[in-house]
């Protein structure tokens, strides 16, 4: 045999070096996006994270939007791969369990320092065209593949229900890294088992039905103009992210001047804080009123969730998504997360009392509470889906995913 082709070897090693450097830049950019949002990410910050100068980064990605797009494409490709692996299982339960397991394995490797997180997808809608359409198309492919974990829908109603399940499953796996940090690494297996138990069998005890009573949260507002302002801002921030929703866009949404913005709030950070306060106060009010009304703890919990889903699907909504945390100062972010945790702990308390009472299954209440936080937080994204059916049906379909589990079809009879 002849001597190896050294030119070929050099070319191959050069390609490997190129890919390794590109992957390192993508990993650093994903980290920056997760901390600061896609619009907040800078070439200088990414270069610093990988020990390069800014010019070196632009050799691989000419524009910041190109880098952000590559990060999001990487996330979407990884999700497709994970779903393809899960689809090899024979039943819907086994597919969902496999998908959750793959996610937990990934998070374990990240905790061990063996893998880096991929970019969260909250900024997709804030991207400029034509990247936005391209990425949203890839996201819809991921959603459809997730829905197919349950197989083909045999009716429109079944397809709608599978869509709700797919959304809640995806959002729960996206929310996992936020609260998993409270657990030791050797508890990750237990977390996976307890979360899968909620996915599989739901929260309600055997014999409980879906008969919530919507809670009236409409109160006289001493400053109605400010409420309209916060509502418009919340919608735009949910759609475009903190940095994508400019003061000008918010003012245009209300057909007012930028000066009107500063009549209500002193700075954009103040706006996001006010939107969060409005949303958290709404959730806490629903929880409080449910307790004031009394009844079984299952009835209190289901009425709270139904009310909040109804708000998310209606014109008087929505609640601010936690994705707006990206780009906020760290001290503000910590305060918002702590308020979110207090709300989750109240859910956990209601479920613990319900377990003692017998109206709620014996579940891990802390883990189930985080699953509920993911469900109510992400309901905003399903408002168009909800608009294709009567509101009470949309609420029942969506809430059933955790009320009775991801494989219980009783709501199809409603």
């Amino acid at each position: 045999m002849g001597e190896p082709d050294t030119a070929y070897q050099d070319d191959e090693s050069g390609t490997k070096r190129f890919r390794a450097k590109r992957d390192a830049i993508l990993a650093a950019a994903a980290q920056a996006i997760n901390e600061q949002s896609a619009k907040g990410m800078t070439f200088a910050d990414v270069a610093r994270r990988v020990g390069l100068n800014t010019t070196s980064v632009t050799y691989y990605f000419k524009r910041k939007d190109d880098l952000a797009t590559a990060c999001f494409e990487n996330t979407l490709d990884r999700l497709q791969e994970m779903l393809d692996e899960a689809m090899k299982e024979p039943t819907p339960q086994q597919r969902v369990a496999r998908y959750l397991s793959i996610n937990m394995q990934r998070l374990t490797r990240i905790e061990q320092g063996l893998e880096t997180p991929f970019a969260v997808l909250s900024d997709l809608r804030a991207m400029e065209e034509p990247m936005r359409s391209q990425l949203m198309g890839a996201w819809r492919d991921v959603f459809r593949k997730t829905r197919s974990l349950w197989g083909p829908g045999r009716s429109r109603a079944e397809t709608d229900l599978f869509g709700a399940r797919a959304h809640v499953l995806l959002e729960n796996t996206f929310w996992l890294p936020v609260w998993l940090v409270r657990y030791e690494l050797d508890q990750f297996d237990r977390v996976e088992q307890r979360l899968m138990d909620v996915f599989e069998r739901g929260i309600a005890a055997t014999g409980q039905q879906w008969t919530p009573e919507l809670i009236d949260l409409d109160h006289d507002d001493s400053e109605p103009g400010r409420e309209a302002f916060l509502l418009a801002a919340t919608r735009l921030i949910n759609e475009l992210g903190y940095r994508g929703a400019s003061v000008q866009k918010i003012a245009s949404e209300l057909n007012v001047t930028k000066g009107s913005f500063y009549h209500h709030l002193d700075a954009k950070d103040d706006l996001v804080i006010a939107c969060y306060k409005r949303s958290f106060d709404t959730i806490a009010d629903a929880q409080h009123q449910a307790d004031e009304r009394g009844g079984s703890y299952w009835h209190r919990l289901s009425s709270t969730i139904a009310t909040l889903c109804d708000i998310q699907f209606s014109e008087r909504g929505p609640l601010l998504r936690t994705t707006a945390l990206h780009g906020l100062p760290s001290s503000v972010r910590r305060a918002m997360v702590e308020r979110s945790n207090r709300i989750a702990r109240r859910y956990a308390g209601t479920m613990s009392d319900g377990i003692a009472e017998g109206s709620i299954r014996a579940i891990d209440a802390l883990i189930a509470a985080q699953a509920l936080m993911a469900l109510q937080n992400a309901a905003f994204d399903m408002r168009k889906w909800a608009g294709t059916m009567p509101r009470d049906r949309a609420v029942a379909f969506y809430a059933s995913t955790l009320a009775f589990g991801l494989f219980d079809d009783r709501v199809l009879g409603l």
Side-chain angles (χ1 to χ4, degrees), residues 90-118:
T91 68
Q93 286 94 329
Q94 288 170 305
R95 291 173 200 147
V96 170
R98 180 69 182 131
Y99 181 67
L100 176 59
S101 180
I102 294 168
N103 273 280
M104 290 299 297
Q105 289 167 20
R106 180 178 63 85
L107 294 170
T108 298
R109 289 194 298 273
I110 291 170
E111 181 67 18
Q112 293 169 331
L114 302 175
E115 189 174 326
T116 56
F118 46 56

Side-chain angles (χ1 to χ4, degrees), residues 185-229:
L185 188 59
D186 65 357
Q187 288 284 290
F188 281 20
D189 284 346
R190 180 187 174 280
V191 169
E192 179 184 335
Q193 292 165 11
R194 297 299 182 268
L195 183 55
M196 186 59 205
D197 176 57
V198 174
F199 286 166
E200 196 156 19
R201 300 169 60 200
I203 292 169
T206 301
Q208 298 299 315
Q209 301 300 317
W210 181 252
T211 54
E213 293 180 59
L214 293 186
I215 301 163
D216 180 13
L217 299 180
D218 290 330
H219 304 298
D220 291 335
D221 186 16
S222 59
E223 197 178 344
R226 189 173 191 273
E227 175 67 15
F229 202 89

Side-chain angles (χ1 to χ4, degrees), residues 32-335:
I33 287 171
N34 294 348
E35 292 173 8
Q36 304 157 9
S37 82
K39 286 190 177 291
M41 174 191 69
T42 65
F43 271 158
D45 181 35
V46 173
R48 179 186 56 78
R49 291 172 190 260
V50 290
L52 296 172
N53 57 43
T54 304
T55 306
S56 297
V57 175
T58 57
Y59 174 72
Y60 294 87
F61 300 96
K62 301 300 180 191
R63 301 181 308 140
K64 192 175 78 167
D65 276 357
D66 295 334
L67 177 53
T69 299
C71 284
F72 292 138
E73 285 175 339
N74 182 57
T75 298
L76 292 162
D77 288 345
R78 293 286 303 281
L79 288 171
Q80 287 277 9
E81 291 167 7
M82 293 156 69
L83 289 163
D84 285 339
E85 185 66 28
M87 281 299 294
K88 294 177 183 177
E89 300 294 335
T91 68
Q93 286 94 329
Q94 288 170 305
R95 291 173 200 147
V96 170
R98 180 69 182 131
Y99 181 67
L100 176 59
S101 180
I102 294 168
N103 273 280
M104 290 299 297
Q105 289 167 20
R106 180 178 63 85
L107 294 170
T108 298
R109 289 194 298 273
I110 291 170
E111 181 67 18
Q112 293 169 331
L114 302 175
E115 189 174 326
T116 56
F118 46 56
V120 295
L121 298 173
S122 54
D123 279 357
L124 284 193
R125 290 185 180 87
M127 295 294 288
E128 300 294 334
E129 294 292 0
M131 289 84 76
R132 182 183 185 275
S133 293
Q134 172 188 328
L135 291 168
M136 290 304 297
W139 163 247
R140 285 190 287 271
D141 290 341
V142 166
F143 179 82
R144 283 191 287 266
K145 187 168 286 187
T146 308
R147 189 175 61 193
S148 73
L149 294 175
W150 285 266
R154 292 165 294 185
S155 65
R156 172 63 188 270
E158 199 171 62
T159 300
D160 285 338
L161 181 57
F162 291 175
R165 291 171 178 174
H167 186 69
V168 170
L169 175 62
L170 285 167
E171 290 298 331
N172 262 280
T173 51
F174 296 157
W175 184 241
L176 255 173
V178 177
W179 58 269
L180 195 59
V181 293
R182 301 193 194 102
Y183 292 84
E184 296 289 344
L185 188 59
D186 65 357
Q187 288 284 290
F188 281 20
D189 284 346
R190 180 187 174 280
V191 169
E192 179 184 335
Q193 292 165 11
R194 297 299 182 268
L195 183 55
M196 186 59 205
D197 176 57
V198 174
F199 286 166
E200 196 156 19
R201 300 169 60 200
I203 292 169
T206 301
Q208 298 299 315
Q209 301 300 317
W210 181 252
T211 54
E213 293 180 59
L214 293 186
I215 301 163
D216 180 13
L217 299 180
D218 290 330
H219 304 298
D220 291 335
D221 186 16
S222 59
E223 197 178 344
R226 189 173 191 273
E227 175 67 15
F229 202 89
L230 293 179
L231 189 57
T234 298
R235 286 187 185 129
L236 276 175
I237 293 168
N238 279 355
E239 289 175 359
L240 302 176
Y242 168 69
R243 293 183 184 271
S246 66
V247 172
Q248 184 62 57
K249 284 179 180 173
I250 295 166
S252 297
E253 178 86 354
L254 286 169
N255 198 27
V256 298
T257 64
K258 283 179 71 172
S260 299
F261 171 89
Y262 297 106
H263 168 72
H264 293 291
L265 298 139
D266 294 328
K268 191 173 173 185
D269 285 354
D270 294 333
L271 170 65
V272 180
I273 293 166
C275 289
Y276 263 122
K277 186 176 186 306
R278 172 188 167 276
S279 296
F280 287 145
D281 286 350
T282 299
I283 300 167
D285 188 23
Q287 291 175 320
H288 174 73
Q289 287 204 49
D291 283 338
E292 287 285 300
R293 288 181 172 194
S296 74
Y297 287 98
W298 163 245
H299 184 70
R300 299 181 197 191
L301 183 69
S302 59
S303 295
T304 302
I305 296 301
T307 298
L308 295 173
C309 286
D310 185 70
I311 288 171
Q312 291 281 58
F313 294 154
S314 73
E315 285 304 309
R316 62 194 174 111
L319 306 174
L320 189 65
R321 288 207 61 163
T322 51
T323 49
L325 287 170
H326 300 300
L328 277 175
S330 58
S331 59
V332 176
R333 194 183 312 165
R334 282 194 298 272

Side-chain angles (χ1 to χ4, degrees), residues 359-378:
S359 65
I360 289 176
R361 273 197 327 111
I363 52 177
D364 187 312
L366 289 172
I367 288 173
Q370 292 296 345
L372 284 176
M373 292 297 285
L375 175 143
Q376 75 179 27
N377 179 51

